[in-house]
Amino acid sequence: MKRHLYEAEHEQFRASVREFVAREVEPNVERWDEQRHVDRETWVAAGRQGVVGLSGPEEHGGGAVARDYRYRMVVLEELARVYAGSLASSFSLQDDILVPYFTELGTPEQQARWLPGLCSGELIAAVAMTEPGTGSDLQGIRTSARRVEGGWVLDGAKTFITSGIQCDVVVVVARTDPDAGRDAFSLLVVERGMPGFSRGRQLRKIGLHAQDTAELAFTEVFVPEDNLLGVQGGGLAQLKRMLPLERLSIAAQAVAVTDAVVATTLEYTVGRQAFGRAVADFQNTRFELAELATEADVTRSYVDDCVRAWNAGDLGEVDAAKAKWWATDVQTRVVDRALQLHGGYGYMVEYPVARAYQDARVQKIYGGTNEIMKHIIGGAMVRGAR
């Protein structure tokens, strides 16, 4: 079935992204995994070629396509084609979470201050929500900021922070009023070099090895009043408002990787010989390939509909939750079965399917665990039935 999502301008953009990936990404993927971070020069090169900063406004150097997520889909698909999952995830954090935060919540002065660097790749951003004792329970956050003349003094610790080692700015979720319930939290922008802001160890993970993930600490960090992002006390509501795009981003990456794995597995089984014939000629292999391809196609169809809904300004929390949990569940299931079709070679890290297997597992955890996605969906169903 022909995919009716992209138009001519998206395919023209794909050619540019593919050239960038061939030049800057594909030769470096294994080295980045070994050194456990992506080169900063790659971010700047991505900014020059318009591969990052797509969601930013044109006046600040962005691509001005925030309401056409198809351009971001193209980037995810081209990075998935070379199994650059760490870079794809890092770019998603920048383009689908942080740039929209500053675009939607920032004052004109804040936008002029930070967006040009974020869109050019010269600044790398992070968001610090999770704490050692809170996980998905954001209302349990203990990091606090107390009012002082001219701003805030921030204290606390965060963990599992993507781009935590390399980030130049970090949006910190902090408790600014201990007695305000859900209105107790605000978003404060902490910048590299602020006294009291330190980075702990870089965390070792099952996958996404080139995506640096770290612990962050804040000890009596003075944060100027001008670094309050959005409104005081609006932290949780502001985060919730931005979640559909974050979850669409995760679903889109899941679909892109799933498609890449199916294509790679088909190529491998056609070329691999066993018992005197191609592995793809065995009935079980063909049944497996048929199931993998069908799951990928059906999932892509739903995610494409979610992309259209986002572009129309109509993607709700429940549909985004459905896309996130289903697409990531399919991704992990397809990758596991594809690895099995590779046999022993699938367990060797030099084979792309092995990297895809390692990288896939976290997809069901971050952005809200899949169990939380089901809670959101089921809760909406029950409320609607009453």
Side-chain angles (χ1 to χ4, degrees):
M1 183 183 296
K2 186 176 180 180
R3 189 179 186 188
H4 299 284
L5 182 67
Y6 297 118
E7 299 174 26
E9 55 266 33
H10 302 103
E11 297 304 338
Q12 292 169 2
F13 177 66
R14 185 187 300 278
S16 176
V17 176
R18 185 164 292 185
E19 190 277 328
F20 165 81
V21 169
R23 185 184 72 247
E24 302 285 350
V25 179
E26 193 168 10
N28 296 307
V29 170
E30 291 185 12
R31 179 174 62 81
W32 290 340
D33 276 354
E34 291 170 2
Q35 72 184 22
R36 297 174 62 214
H37 69 268
V38 173
D39 301 330
R40 299 257 336 191
E41 294 79 8
T42 304
W43 285 81
V44 176
R48 281 197 305 266
Q49 196 141 341
V51 176
V52 74
L54 286 166
S55 61
E58 190 173 11
E59 62 267 28
H60 294 306
V65 293
R67 273 300 168 185
D68 190 350
Y69 196 76
R70 290 174 292 182
Y71 288 97
R72 282 283 302 125
M73 289 277 283
V74 167
V75 174
L76 291 172
E77 288 169 359
E78 292 305 309
L79 291 174
R81 196 172 52 81
V82 299
Y83 293 89
S86 294
L87 185 62
S89 185
S90 297
F91 280 2
S92 293
L93 175 67
Q94 187 101 339
D95 244 323
D96 298 336
I97 301 177
L98 273 309
V99 169
Y101 277 6
F102 288 102
T103 301
E104 297 292 326
L105 305 175
T107 64
E109 293 76 14
Q110 290 173 331
Q111 292 176 9
R113 181 176 167 190
W114 288 308
L115 281 174
L118 294 175
C119 292
S120 70
E122 294 173 293
L123 292 181
I124 297 175
V127 58
M129 301 185 200
T130 306
E131 297 183 1
T134 62
S136 298
D137 179 17
L138 294 182
Q139 293 195 62
I141 284 173
R142 295 185 176 184
T143 296
S144 63
R146 69 178 190 275
R147 267 285 193 187
V148 295
E149 184 177 353
W152 310 82
V153 172
L154 178 68
D155 285 283
K158 301 287 184 177
T159 193
F160 306 149
I161 308 306
T162 300
S163 298
I165 296 294
Q166 291 190 303
C167 66
D168 303 289
V169 293
V170 53
V171 177
V172 181
V173 185
R175 186 180 290 271
T176 51
D177 185 345
D179 302 316
R182 289 186 60 84
D183 298 327
F185 305 94
S186 303
L187 307 181
L188 300 175
V189 181
V190 174
E191 300 175 81
R192 177 187 292 276
M194 284 185 169
F197 170 37
S198 62
R199 302 157 206 260
R201 63 193 177 105
Q202 183 170 346
L203 302 173
R204 301 190 69 87
K205 301 170 295 184
I206 290 175
L208 295 178
H209 295 139
Q211 180 201 68
D212 72 277
T213 305
E215 298 170 328
L216 302 180
F218 308 94
T219 305
E220 295 285 302
V221 179
F222 174 72
V223 181
E225 182 69 44
D226 290 344
N227 284 34
L228 172 68
L229 189 62
V231 298
Q232 181 180 342
L236 293 188
Q238 291 165 171
L239 293 174
K240 184 177 180 180
R241 196 172 94 210
M242 309 300 286
L243 282 174
L245 177 57
E246 178 181 356
R247 289 166 180 166
L248 175 62
S249 173
I250 296 170
Q253 184 167 349
V255 168
V257 172
T258 301
D259 282 346
V261 166
V262 172
T264 297
T265 304
L266 175 61
E267 180 181 9
Y268 177 83
T269 56
V270 168
R272 173 72 173 167
Q273 295 285 314
F275 302 102
R277 55 178 171 158
V279 172
D281 289 334
F282 290 94
Q283 184 186 62
N284 179 69
T285 303
R286 293 189 176 189
F287 281 7
E288 284 289 298
L289 289 172
E291 291 182 17
L292 300 185
T294 302
E295 287 198 57
D297 287 352
V298 172
T299 304
R300 187 192 319 112
S301 181
Y302 183 76
V303 174
D304 284 357
D305 276 350
C306 288
V307 169
R308 294 185 185 97
W310 169 261
N311 288 355
D314 194 35
L315 180 65
E317 177 187 29
V318 172
D319 285 336
K322 288 177 180 177
K324 192 270 180 185
W325 95 257
W326 180 258
T328 58
D329 228 49
V330 168
Q331 177 190 3
T332 54
R333 187 163 62 245
V334 166
V335 171
D336 180 72
R337 293 167 71 185
L339 188 151
Q340 189 73 18
L341 287 173
H342 280 72
Y345 287 104
Y347 202 64
M348 302 296 108
V349 292
E350 62 263 31
Y351 277 73
V353 72
R355 187 182 306 122
Y357 182 85
Q358 291 175 319
D359 292 349
R361 189 58 184 85
V362 73
Q363 289 271 90
K364 295 164 66 172
I365 297 173
Y366 59 18
T369 65
N370 283 6
E371 290 74 20
I372 288 178
M373 298 304 99
K374 295 175 188 179
H375 178 72
I376 291 169
I377 298 161
M381 291 174 66
V382 171
R383 288 192 299 272
R386 284 179 173 163

